[in-house]
Amino acid sequence: MAFHQTNLAWATLLDIGGPGPAADGGGRAGLRERLTRALRTAIRDGRLAEGASVPPSRALAEQLGCSRWVVTEAYGQLVAEGYLSARTGSATRVSWSPESDPPRPDPRRALATPAIRYDIAPGLPDLRAFPRRRWAEAVRAVTGSAVHYDLGPPDPAGHGQLRATLAAYLRRSRGADLRTASVSVCAGVTDGLFRTCRTLRAEGITELAVEDPGWGRLRDAATSAGLRVHPVPVDDDGLRVDDLARTPARAVVVGAAHQFPTGTVLSPDRRAGLVRWAREVDGYVIEDDYDAEFRYDHRPVAVMQGMDARRVLLLGSVSKTLSPALGLGWLVAPAALAPALRAANPVAAAPPVLDQLALAAFIDRGWYDAHLRAARRRFRTRRDLLLTTLAGTLPAARVTGPAAGLHVLLHLPPGTDLPATVRAATSHGLRLTPLTAYTSHPTSAPTALVLGYGNLPDADVPAAIRLLRDALR
Amino acid sequence: MAFHQTNLAWATLLDIGGPGPAADGGGRAGLRERLTRALRTAIRDGRLAEGASVPPSRALAEQLGCSRWVVTEAYGQLVAEGYLSARTGSATRVSWSPESDPPRPDPRRALATPAIRYDIAPGLPDLRAFPRRRWAEAVRAVTGSAVHYDLGPPDPAGHGQLRATLAAYLRRSRGADLRTASVSVCAGVTDGLFRTCRTLRAEGITELAVEDPGWGRLRDAATSAGLRVHPVPVDDDGLRVDDLARTPARAVVVGAAHQFPTGTVLSPDRRAGLVRWAREVDGYVIEDDYDAEFRYDHRPVAVMQGMDARRVLLLGSVSKTLSPALGLGWLVAPAALAPALRAANPVAAAPPVLDQLALAAFIDRGWYDAHLRAARRRFRTRRDLLLTTLAGTLPAARVTGPAAGLHVLLHLPPGTDLPATVRAATSHGLRLTPLTAYTSHPTSAPTALVLGYGNLPDADVPAAIRLLRDALR
């Protein structure tokens, strides 16, 4: 490649580079940086092909009106990076050949702009009611007060402060038994289950039962950790323990307080039966306590974990009470399992320490209880509004599920074309979730929708249900 | 069990309960809650044995001087939880039998109180210099300004805002090529490698090469993801590519800019050779860009990823620049691998969204660059001080490693009893790390210590090195 061609390329390249973000300030250093970048880009683009010589540093410096230092530094950098090679007594040459590249996609994605006006898919709390001011205040306080070694590598089991706060909260509010069990901090129920399943596998337990219908992410977590999953039917008393006993499973995930999505509360007999089963198979019950804080008729049922802290593990999070974006949850496991949990998850990271400390402060200041009280009032009212609206707008439909949680089951007349209903609703801006989305055998499931009202503003309830009625026609 | 015995137990139980944290306020509800808790505890403790009858509600209400409602509610709750069973026309009885429980350990752990005065183990930035005020301000700002659906379930690949900011940063500051690669957000280098290794395994790559010596957590991440690990020696030019080619590995983790712990910068020939190797074996180079921002003699060498964005993956984090407690890192992978990455990690959670947005704001406001400039000045000065102090105090020792990063290698005279030195230092409050901690064959490693100065205050350098000298005697 001839020298004067390269000169032309240079002029162009430097124009393209523009002033740019001079990370090291302007002046010589900035010019050196721009030159380096321009050269690197030209080589990557193929405008400077492998084997091409670059101008002697003195000549290029004259062309560019800069000091020779700028050019020799840029060349040196690119030699260090392997794009150029320099041999004494010979021209510096391009020593790199890119594969051909397609045009670059713009990595800046537009922020999510929901085409959906009313999202009544289940699983969300009221995102508009997130206590922003208090959360920011909690983060600010702990960021100022944390000791400096709290900013070092986090304890994989979680920060001691949050573990203690959670232990007190779970004893007081959920009736957990922490005498022979310990709390660790994780990113949420799914993360906690993933870690648990890896641990079970290391302990020789390869078969896990899950509720059918149930939350699909739990199945994903289990299979992702290498377990085989066995769906077990749920009836009006909750998980059918006799069916469970016929599977090869030695561990089961169960939503005892409020099964998802049926809303069933596991009956006292079944609770006792489940714990007996776990003892008989030398296995574990994994209690998914995902939204038990929301019970509108009486106090939440205490956790099963309290019935046998050696056989029942407890998973919970703030995803349904504060926000899933916080990524903060907990795992209560028998103390005897703690070493195995750590060994099976050697690189599992605890959530960011300042967030852990912020949650501890948020609970310790009473803000979490206050938030839950307000949320219970809000959701109770909204649930009543939803039921009234449904009764008035869709008299043929039937709602099931206790006065609890963030969703109801809406049973529709047999023969209703659910897929068509979901499509019609979506096209009008209403996201719906059929019960079949959570079953292992979609064809055998009742004709029902799972309606989440957590993130549906009260004012939107009538319009959303009218859209649902229209979609059903 | 006789009725009057139970009465005595009740009086005791309610005394034990005390006023307690009445989550639902005082009054009837508070009393109901205390009674429920007291009963539950008595059953768990075995003070009320299985089969024992509890008093009729009217009788107990009289004994306690409360309304009968309080008692029936408490009984009802415990029936729902399976601790009591009630049959029409018969006494309510305890239906639960605990296993015997050892005394409860106190779950509130004391905060870490380092017995170590001087920690010169490598791997930490200056925790005292964490920009607390600006970080808290960034969190406060984004907590106020985030749109409400940002508080919903996080995009597993990371928030678009941070991905765009990181893409711009990595192009500008590290020379990354993002035309055919995409950035995702993870919890750090270890987390990013774990996800990558799970992906490689799903793609049929089961053998991974790592540098020897190298950072043990990377090996843990790989084996934890189910890969077999092959250590490959490092010499003065970095990873030995010819040795690599003799392993069955089809992927390799390499610290190209500043190998840990030797400090070697991968030579241009080796960089080119590594990329050729990856093409030949149809494999990948995984670049661990863990502390490349800290180069004190000239600009950091650009990332290898820019040489072939289809064959080189790039891992980085803010763990060495801001704090490992933040749990924020990135993974740059070929766009073609993105679907496989997601499929192989179906339940991997992105870091908390507000932290992601805070880091984006922190970078976009120029605070990250400012922090790095200040940190470079601080670490350059500290490194000079360390070298001067070592030269004066330990003239027989030799330091290697470029003017970069957060650690140096200190070579000691052959025959030095390193284990005894480490023990002696520890007993005097100085934590030391021998090079052998990072090698696969400890016996063949040079007699050297890895001295981290990131988190060692300048004022402590002389005292720490005096302790080291004393320990060597």
Side-chain angles (χ1 to χ4, degrees):
Chain A
M1 182 177 285
F3 177 32
H4 63 273
Q5 290 178 298
T6 318
N7 279 352
L8 284 175
W10 273 118
T12 314
L13 285 166
L14 288 176
D15 280 342
I16 290 171
D24 256 0
R28 300 207 303 178
L31 190 51
R32 173 198 62 181
E33 191 46 29
R34 257 153 63 205
L35 182 57
T36 309
R37 206 183 307 139
L39 242 178
R40 198 191 284 129
T41 304
I43 295 171
R44 285 195 193 150
D45 288 350
R47 279 176 287 158
L48 284 172
E50 187 168 18
S53 64
V54 294
S57 54
R58 188 188 319 238
L60 185 56
E62 279 172 18
Q63 297 266 345
L64 300 174
C66 66
S67 78
R68 193 176 164 195
W69 177 89
V70 167
V71 180
T72 54
E73 282 286 305
Y75 282 9
Q77 177 77 12
L78 292 165
V79 167
E81 293 175 16
Y83 289 106
L84 295 178
S85 68
R87 280 204 184 72
T88 315
S90 146
T92 299
R93 290 182 182 278
V94 176
S95 54
W96 180 252
S97 144
E99 301 179 47
S100 67
D101 270 327
R104 157 174 48 151
D106 184 1
R108 183 176 288 271
R109 302 187 319 163
L111 280 177
T113 44
I116 293 292
R117 264 180 302 165
Y118 309 113
D119 187 353
I120 52 178
L124 281 184
D126 195 327
L127 302 180
R128 291 169 188 82
F130 179 75
R132 295 180 186 228
R133 200 184 52 74
R134 285 185 162 175
W135 182 258
E137 170 53 23
V139 174
R140 191 203 59 75
V142 302
T143 304
S145 65
V147 289
H148 73 85
Y149 43 83
D150 278 342
L151 299 170
D155 183 333
H159 193 286
Q161 191 78 49
L162 179 57
R163 296 175 70 189
T165 294
L166 286 175
Y169 171 75
L170 292 170
R171 270 200 304 267
R172 157 172 70 82
S173 176
R174 301 293 302 121
D177 179 358
L178 288 157
R179 291 170 302 179
T180 58
S182 65
V183 184
S184 55
V185 185
C186 58
V189 167
T190 309
D191 179 44
L193 183 59
F194 180 69
R195 295 180 190 205
T196 301
C197 289
R198 284 178 62 98
T199 310
L200 294 179
R201 193 163 172 239
E203 300 274 296
I205 296 180
T206 55
E207 318 291 321
L208 178 80
V210 297
E211 295 167 324
D212 185 15
W215 185 246
R217 297 272 293 165
L218 302 179
R219 273 175 255 190
D220 293 344
T223 54
S224 188
L227 298 192
R228 273 182 298 269
V229 166
H230 303 270
V232 171
V234 173
D235 64 20
D236 290 348
D237 287 330
L239 183 94
R240 294 178 55 95
V241 180
D242 48 353
D243 285 335
L244 168 64
R246 281 190 283 272
T247 73
R250 277 178 56 205
V252 61
V253 189
V254 63
H258 186 230
Q259 203 271 337
F260 183 89
T262 64
T264 309
V265 179
L266 195 67
S267 74
D269 277 0
R270 293 274 173 88
R271 286 166 78 105
L274 256 191
V275 173
R276 266 198 309 273
W277 169 85
R279 290 174 183 169
E280 277 160 19
V281 301
D282 187 19
Y284 297 98
V285 175
I286 303 161
E287 184 172 11
D288 172 16
D289 201 40
Y290 71 105
D291 75 352
E293 288 89 349
F294 297 131
R295 182 90 202 200
Y296 313 124
D297 46 359
H298 55 69
R299 295 277 297 164
V301 172
V303 291
M304 277 187 68
Q305 188 272 347
M307 296 171 72
D308 189 341
R310 287 197 180 77
R311 292 291 174 193
V312 186
L313 289 82
L314 175 67
L315 297 172
S317 80
V318 299
S319 296
K320 303 286 184 290
T321 54
L322 288 168
S323 156
L326 292 183
L328 287 166
W330 48 85
L331 163 60
V332 178
L337 264 188
L341 263 167
R342 189 172 286 226
N345 299 282
V347 297
V353 171
L354 295 175
D355 295 320
Q356 294 188 56
L357 292 173
L359 179 58
F362 196 85
I363 295 173
D364 291 343
R365 291 175 182 206
W367 292 349
Y368 192 57
D369 281 335
H371 177 77
L372 287 178
R373 279 194 298 272
R376 268 192 290 265
R377 279 194 300 273
R378 185 184 314 113
F379 292 137
R380 183 205 309 245
T381 307
R382 188 175 299 164
R383 184 174 180 277
D384 290 346
L385 172 63
L386 178 67
L387 298 197
T388 310
T389 309
L390 284 169
T393 313
L394 292 169
R398 185 173 54 91
V399 169
T400 61
L406 300 169
H407 70 273
V408 296
L409 265 192
L410 182 71
H411 296 265
L412 298 166
T416 306
D417 185 347
L418 277 188
T421 304
V422 170
R423 277 194 306 274
T426 305
S427 73
H428 289 92
L430 173 71
R431 188 180 347 243
L432 289 179
T433 314
L435 178 58
T436 49
Y438 305 108
T439 54
S440 64
H441 298 293
T443 49
S444 65
T447 308
L449 294 167
V450 187
L451 302 188
Y453 50 87
N455 196 34
L456 183 70
D458 292 353
D460 288 350
V461 170
I465 301 308
R466 275 197 304 274
L467 278 184
L468 171 58
R469 180 198 56 197
D470 297 345
L472 278 165
R473 279 174 181 167
Chain B
M1 181 175 285
F3 176 34
H4 63 274
Q5 287 178 300
T6 318
N7 279 351
L8 284 174
W10 274 118
T12 315
L13 285 166
L14 288 176
D15 280 342
I16 290 172
D24 257 0
R28 298 205 308 177
L31 189 52
R32 172 197 63 183
E33 190 48 28
R34 259 152 64 203
L35 182 57
T36 310
R37 206 183 308 138
L39 243 177
R40 198 191 285 128
T41 305
I43 296 171
R44 284 197 192 146
D45 289 350
R47 278 175 288 160
L48 284 172
E50 187 167 19
S53 63
V54 294
S57 54
R58 187 189 317 237
L60 185 57
E62 279 173 17
Q63 295 267 344
L64 299 173
C66 65
S67 77
R68 193 175 164 195
W69 176 90
V70 167
V71 180
T72 54
E73 281 288 304
Y75 284 8
Q77 175 78 12
L78 293 166
V79 167
E81 293 173 17
Y83 289 106
L84 295 178
S85 69
R87 278 202 186 75
T88 314
S90 146
T92 299
R93 291 184 182 277
V94 175
S95 54
W96 180 251
S97 144
E99 301 180 46
S100 66
D101 270 326
R104 157 175 48 152
D106 183 1
R108 183 178 289 271
R109 304 187 320 162
L111 281 177
T113 45
I116 293 292
R117 265 178 302 164
Y118 309 114
D119 186 354
I120 53 179
L124 281 184
D126 196 327
L127 301 180
R128 292 170 188 82
F130 179 75
R132 295 179 185 229
R133 200 183 53 74
R134 284 186 162 174
W135 181 259
E137 169 54 23
V139 174
R140 192 202 58 75
V142 301
T143 304
S145 66
V147 288
H148 74 85
Y149 41 84
D150 278 342
L151 299 170
D155 183 333
H159 193 285
Q161 192 79 49
L162 179 57
R163 296 175 72 190
T165 294
L166 286 174
Y169 171 76
L170 293 170
R171 272 200 302 267
R172 156 171 74 81
S173 175
R174 303 293 302 121
D177 178 358
L178 289 157
R179 291 171 302 178
T180 58
S182 65
V183 184
S184 54
V185 184
C186 57
V189 166
T190 309
D191 178 46
L193 183 59
F194 181 68
R195 297 181 189 205
T196 301
C197 288
R198 283 180 63 98
T199 310
L200 295 178
R201 193 161 172 240
E203 300 274 296
I205 297 181
T206 55
E207 318 289 323
L208 177 80
V210 297
E211 296 168 324
D212 186 14
W215 186 245
R217 296 271 294 165
L218 302 180
R219 273 175 256 191
D220 292 344
T223 54
S224 187
L227 299 192
R228 273 183 296 270
V229 165
H230 303 269
V232 170
V234 172
D235 64 21
D236 290 347
D237 288 329
L239 183 94
R240 294 178 56 96
V241 180
D242 47 354
D243 285 336
L244 168 64
R246 281 189 284 271
T247 73
R250 278 176 56 203
V252 61
V253 189
V254 63
H258 185 230
Q259 202 272 336
F260 183 88
T262 64
T264 310
V265 179
L266 195 67
S267 74
D269 277 0
R270 293 273 174 89
R271 286 166 79 103
L274 256 190
V275 173
R276 266 199 309 275
W277 168 85
R279 291 175 183 170
E280 278 161 17
V281 301
D282 187 19
Y284 298 98
V285 175
I286 302 160
E287 184 172 13
D288 172 15
D289 202 41
Y290 71 105
D291 74 352
E293 288 89 348
F294 297 131
R295 181 91 202 199
Y296 312 124
D297 46 359
H298 55 69
R299 293 277 297 164
V301 172
V303 290
M304 276 187 68
Q305 188 273 347
M307 296 170 73
D308 190 340
R310 286 200 182 75
R311 293 291 175 193
V312 186
L313 288 81
L314 175 67
L315 296 172
S317 81
V318 300
S319 296
K320 305 284 185 290
T321 54
L322 287 169
S323 156
L326 291 183
L328 287 166
W330 48 86
L331 162 59
V332 179
L337 265 188
L341 262 167
R342 189 173 286 225
N345 299 282
V347 296
V353 171
L354 295 174
D355 294 321
Q356 294 188 56
L357 292 172
L359 179 58
F362 196 85
I363 296 173
D364 291 343
R365 292 175 181 203
W367 292 349
Y368 192 57
D369 281 336
H371 177 77
L372 288 178
R373 280 195 298 274
R376 268 192 289 266
R377 280 194 300 273
R378 183 183 315 114
F379 292 137
R380 182 205 310 247
T381 307
R382 188 175 300 164
R383 184 174 181 277
D384 291 346
L385 171 63
L386 178 67
L387 299 196
T388 310
T389 309
L390 284 169
T393 313
L394 293 167
R398 185 172 55 89
V399 169
T400 60
L406 300 168
H407 70 273
V408 296
L409 264 193
L410 183 72
H411 296 265
L412 298 166
T416 306
D417 184 348
L418 276 189
T421 304
V422 170
R423 276 195 305 274
T426 304
S427 73
H428 290 92
L430 173 72
R431 188 180 348 242
L432 289 179
T433 313
L435 178 58
T436 48
Y438 304 108
T439 56
S440 64
H441 299 293
T443 48
S444 65
T447 308
L449 294 167
V450 186
L451 302 188
Y453 50 87
N455 196 33
L456 182 70
D458 292 354
D460 288 349
V461 170
I465 301 308
R466 274 197 305 273
L467 278 184
L468 170 58
R469 179 199 58 198
D470 297 345
L472 279 164
R473 278 173 182 167

